[in-house]
Amino acid sequence: VSTRLEAGLTPKFDLGFGTFYTKFGLGRKLDARGNKDYYGIEPGIIVPFAERWNVRYGYRFRDGYGGDTGERTDTHRLGVGYDLTKTDAINVRFDRQRGDSNQNSWNFAYIRRF
């Protein structure tokens, strides 16, 4: 069992047909074997395809600081989102993670924009 605490910054750029983003994050993994610090970079694109609907693809690279930390992973993310309002959205995403841990996961999210 582990917990991750992460803070990130995600600048976005309008491309006309969609939005390009890059998330930069720093985090700490907390578990019984010790704490590990890591960083992550995730470029991606969000493309609207119908009123209130969008599809997104992102690639995340994550690694720990110094040596063999057991945090090196590559994750491909593909998702679909629906804007409930201008500030509220829901999405479903599939992640394929490979590296120091290998897993596939489905993610469901409610998003509140500020």
Side-chain angles (χ1 to χ4, degrees):
V1 175
S2 65
T3 300
R4 289 184 186 273
L5 303 172
E6 185 173 311
L9 178 65
T10 309
K12 297 179 179 180
F13 305 96
D14 184 11
L15 301 174
F17 66 89
T19 303
F20 174 79
Y21 71 89
T22 302
K23 178 182 176 185
F24 302 95
L26 298 173
R28 174 169 273 197
K29 180 180 177 182
L30 311 166
D31 68 22
R33 294 173 286 173
N35 301 335
K36 298 177 183 177
D37 295 324
Y38 64 89
Y39 66 96
I41 301 169
E42 180 185 332
I45 189 162
I46 304 166
V47 179
F49 66 88
E51 186 178 342
R52 295 186 176 197
W53 289 93
N54 64 67
V55 64
R56 62 178 60 213
Y57 171 77
Y59 164 77
R60 182 188 68 194
F61 172 83
R62 184 175 67 201
D63 201 359
Y65 294 109
D68 182 16
T69 62
E71 291 300 308
R72 170 71 170 84
T73 58
D74 297 282
T75 305
H76 294 272
R77 298 181 150 165
L78 181 61
V80 175
Y82 179 75
D83 292 333
L84 299 167
T85 67
K86 290 185 179 200
T87 58
D88 299 286
I90 55 174
N91 72 28
V92 59
R93 185 184 76 216
F94 178 75
D95 287 2
R96 181 180 183 274
Q97 181 175 309
R98 298 294 181 265
D100 289 326
S101 64
N102 296 314
Q103 63 184 359
N104 297 325
S105 64
W106 286 96
N107 302 273
F108 303 92
Y110 167 78
I111 300 162
R112 177 71 174 177
R113 297 179 188 102
F114 296 95

